[in-house]
Each structure stands twice: as C-alpha cells, then as structure tokens.
Amino acid sequence: MSTDAIVLLKEDHKEMRRLFKAFQDAEEWPASQRQKLVGQILEALTVHTYLENEVIYPEIRRLLPDLKDDILESYEEHHVADLLCFELAGMDAKDERFNAKTTVLIENVTHHVEEEEQEWFPKVREALGRKQLQEIGEKMIALRADAPRTPSEPKAIKKAIDAVTA
C-alpha cells in the first residue's frame, strides 16, 4: 500500500465515486437500503474531509503558499458538503427531499474531486518530492483510525468550523 498522500486521496475519491454510482443506480431501491447507502457515503466523506482539513490542506498551504487560493476554495467546498452531510444524517430516506439533497451533495463533491485531481494535485506533485508526499500520507494514515465517522461527531463539527475560519 502506498503512503503517497495523493495516491491515498485518489483511492478515497475512487471509493466515493463507487458509492455515488451505487446511489444513482438505487433510485428504485427501498428507502431503508438507500438510507444505508447514504450512511456509507456520509462516513466516507466525513473521514476524507477530516483528513484533508487536518493534514493535507494545512501542510500544502504551509509548503506551497502559492496554492493558498486553491486551498481556501477547497475549504469552502468542504463547508457546503459538510452542511449537506449534516442535514442528510438527520433525514429519513422517505423524505421527499432526501434523493434531491443526496444528488446535490454528489454533484458538489464530484466537482470538488475533479478540481483537486485535475488542477491542484498535479501542481502539488510537481512541487513536492516523493518523500514529502509519503510523509504527509503517513500522517493521514495515522490519523484515519481516529477520524470521525459521522457528521455529528464532535471532531467532525470542530473540523467543519475550523475549516471555514482557516
């Protein structure tokens, strides 16, 4: 398993895309199954955004100050996703807005992922050496076990607040 931070983030992105596709294919599923699937999406997003906000963004901002605007935009995109995740965590899949809210979350996160992968990951890879990316990745791996799993966990809420005041 690679410890390269960008590889780790792309693995998370791949899993999110898989979950998003599953949700899009689940329109006719019973509400209880859609609820469970959205729970998996929320967990994946909560862990991923926590790691980005706690490790990746501060490290990249410190090491590559020219990417400050990209990082600030990412924090704001996370803020929107955090709000949607928090709302979805309290919703029942039978609610008429559940599918629509999940679809908006998927669209926002997909946009964010594409920007990261196409725009600033290449800049980061070019500017940082393999060793630095592995060191950052090791920090992510160490923090993953203690990362919040639901949007309502205190660490997740603190992360969301800190991200908009960074």
Side-chain angles (χ1 to χ4, degrees):
M1 179 178 161
S2 176
T3 59
D4 180 293
I6 291 175
V7 171
L8 295 172
L9 292 172
K10 285 185 172 183
E11 287 173 3
D12 282 357
H13 292 170
K14 184 178 177 181
E15 174 63 9
M16 284 185 268
R17 284 184 185 106
R18 184 191 69 75
L19 291 168
F20 294 167
K21 171 125 178 44
F23 180 81
Q24 291 162 339
D25 293 342
E27 191 173 323
E28 302 301 320
W29 290 8
S32 62
Q33 288 181 307
R34 283 184 286 117
Q35 186 93 44
K36 183 177 178 184
L37 184 54
V38 169
Q40 293 172 338
I41 290 170
L42 297 181
E43 180 176 345
L45 285 172
T46 301
V47 171
H48 181 77
T49 59
Y50 181 79
L51 295 175
E52 284 188 332
N53 288 349
E54 292 293 314
V55 179
I56 294 294
Y57 295 162
E59 286 289 319
I60 299 305
R61 192 171 178 184
R62 180 180 64 80
L63 295 168
L64 304 172
D66 289 348
L67 294 182
K68 176 185 169 190
D69 290 342
D70 293 309
I71 299 299
L72 292 175
E73 182 179 339
S74 291
Y75 278 131
E76 293 306 319
E77 289 171 346
H78 279 199
H79 176 61
V80 171
D82 288 340
L83 292 173
L84 291 167
C85 286
F86 196 78
E87 291 172 5
L88 278 165
M91 287 180 84
D92 189 292
K94 293 177 186 170
D95 186 299
E96 71 176 355
R97 296 177 143 205
F98 186 82
N99 286 352
K101 194 173 292 287
T102 303
T103 299
V104 170
L105 174 65
I106 289 169
E107 290 169 352
N108 277 290
V109 171
T110 299
H111 166 79
H112 172 75
V113 164
E114 288 171 0
E115 274 190 344
E116 281 186 341
E117 290 185 357
Q118 294 171 12
E119 294 176 23
W120 74 268
F121 282 3
K123 293 175 189 175
V124 170
R125 181 159 306 285
E126 184 179 324
L128 298 182
R130 182 176 163 186
K131 186 176 192 284
Q132 283 180 302
L133 287 170
Q134 288 175 335
E135 289 170 357
I136 295 168
E138 288 168 6
K139 290 177 186 177
M140 289 172 53
I141 290 168
L143 197 59
R144 185 176 289 272
D146 290 331
R149 300 289 189 251
T150 64
S152 60
E153 285 183 48
K155 279 187 194 178
I157 293 169
K158 181 183 181 322
K159 176 260 317 169
I161 292 167
D162 289 349
V164 296
T165 61

